[in-house]
Amino acid sequence: MASRTSQAAILNHHHHQQPLGLFENQEGEGCNTQTDFFPFPQNLTFSSLPLVGHQSLKGGLSTASIASDDAPSTTTLSETLVPRPSLTPPLRHKQDHNITTSSEFGGGGGGGGGGPHGHLLSLQRSTANLWAWGDVSDEYCLSSKRSSGGDDSHHPYLGGLSAMKMKKMKAIRRKVREPRFCFKTLSDVDVLDDGYKWRKYGQKVVKNTQHPRSYYRCTMDNCRVKKRVERLAEDPRMVITTYEGRHVHSPSHDLDDQDSRSPSHLNNFFW
DNA sequence: CGGTTTTGACCCGCGC
DNA sequence: GCGCGGGTCAAAACCG
């Protein structure tokens, strides 16, 4: 895992001067040739990117950039950058008819339709640009939102609370959003296998896009992490994956076949 | 049969 | 206030 020593830098976005982060894998050339680097938060370790690399990327996933406002045209990524201690989970791709599968990651396999983490895409020719954003400021780094509310606070149709109360909660909830980050990946497949098990709970066609956006939720109990997957409008080859929230557990793959690899730093995936 | 996906409906925030 | 659009729910269908 030489790539564990990935370099990180941040670029200015061409439009809004918003900080873009470029994480350059040591092995990769850093396909993104943008300049204007600036120091990236030290506590933001991308120990996971290497995992991407170490598995099947072999340097293919060479770059990842972080941005606050550089939203793909199809989304409104208007939040501010919130560096997390560790962001990127070990990414792999689910199989797709278009891709060549070079490795198999036993483990994870979910049950029915969506779950099968069978073959995994070789990302050798993939490029991932990592965005990160979130409108969570340090002070409230959420918690009030859901941790207290338990199961009901996130339930939009909950009947127990008065409408007023619900509205207030919504208001709070809007401001106190889970930390989020996203990245884009050049890939034929939509769903990155990041070691966690996801259940799809919605799909939506967003405006000005041909490709629908899919919504996933972590299948683990008590874990409210969500993930959004869509394709970039300008470049359908690019997959935008957005994570929201932090896992309260380790990746499912760890429990199976991954723990022998790098169990300690995998804990950092609880973004 | 249990877990996941699909998909139409609903909710809600936001801009006008 | 209204309409639009994004996000979520939940029942039915699907799948291993």
Side-chain angles (χ1 to χ4, degrees):
Chain A
M1 334 312 175
S3 53
R4 184 161 308 168
T5 54
S6 302
Q7 304 172 26
I10 295 192
L11 316 166
N12 283 338
H13 181 232
H14 46 288
H15 283 157
H16 311 288
Q17 301 285 26
Q18 296 279 6
L20 258 180
L22 171 65
F23 286 78
E24 190 169 350
N25 198 320
Q26 204 173 40
E27 300 167 348
E29 321 301 276
C31 63
N32 200 329
T33 57
Q34 290 180 266
T35 53
D36 270 337
F37 293 84
F38 70 84
F40 200 76
Q42 313 92 324
N43 59 345
L44 182 59
T45 66
F46 269 68
S47 53
S48 49
L49 266 182
L51 275 181
V52 186
H54 91 125
Q55 194 48 40
S56 54
L57 292 179
K58 298 184 178 175
L61 188 129
S62 53
T63 66
S65 59
I66 284 191
S68 61
D69 201 15
D70 186 24
S73 66
T74 59
T75 54
T76 52
L77 311 183
S78 55
E79 293 90 345
T80 55
L81 174 66
V82 177
R84 308 307 312 173
S86 295
L87 295 181
T88 324
L91 298 176
R92 288 159 239 127
H93 283 213
K94 283 187 175 181
Q95 184 186 15
D96 184 64
H97 62 282
N98 282 332
I99 66 176
T100 57
T101 63
S102 69
S103 62
E104 181 147 355
F105 239 79
H117 297 178
H119 297 68
L120 297 163
L121 165 67
S122 161
L123 296 181
Q124 300 213 9
R125 55 202 171 92
S126 294
T127 316
N129 291 320
L130 176 69
W131 279 300
W133 79 95
D135 57 353
V136 185
S137 67
D138 293 334
E139 311 98 40
Y140 58 62
C141 212
L142 58 105
S143 63
S144 60
K145 166 182 159 193
R146 286 165 176 181
S147 57
S148 62
D151 295 322
D152 37 349
S153 63
H154 75 288
H155 202 294
Y157 305 123
L158 191 72
L161 298 169
S162 70
M164 197 59 185
K165 214 164 189 175
M166 284 302 287
K167 272 200 169 181
K168 279 186 181 177
M169 291 179 65
K170 297 283 183 184
I172 292 172
R173 173 170 160 184
R174 236 205 127 288
K175 287 182 180 177
V176 187
R177 197 152 16 196
E178 294 279 6
R180 305 197 294 179
F181 74 94
C182 75
F183 52 87
K184 63 179 177 182
T185 309
L186 178 59
S187 169
D188 292 334
V189 296
D190 294 336
V191 183
L192 303 170
D193 183 0
D194 49 18
Y196 294 94
K197 267 184 73 179
W198 303 93
R199 171 167 42 245
K200 188 175 185 176
Y201 67 89
Q203 178 169 306
K204 192 85 176 178
V205 176
V206 290
K207 215 184 169 190
N208 301 325
T209 338
Q210 313 95 306
H211 306 279
R213 174 184 299 168
S214 298
Y215 300 89
Y216 298 87
R217 179 171 294 148
C218 184
T219 58
M220 193 67 75
D221 285 348
N222 304 323
C223 186
R224 304 188 196 291
V225 177
K226 283 179 279 190
K227 153 168 138 177
R228 249 172 25 190
V229 177
E230 67 193 286
R231 289 206 170 262
L232 197 53
E234 300 90 7
D235 188 0
R237 298 169 306 167
M238 304 299 294
V239 177
I240 313 292
T241 305
T242 304
Y243 291 93
E244 178 174 341
R246 298 172 185 238
H247 288 284
V248 297
H249 57 96
S250 43
S252 56
H253 281 156
D254 288 357
L255 308 177
D256 307 328
D257 54 352
Q258 283 287 291
D259 47 359
S260 59
R261 290 185 189 279
S262 45
S264 59
H265 81 266
L266 278 178
N267 290 331
N268 291 331
F269 296 149
F270 309 151
W271 66 82

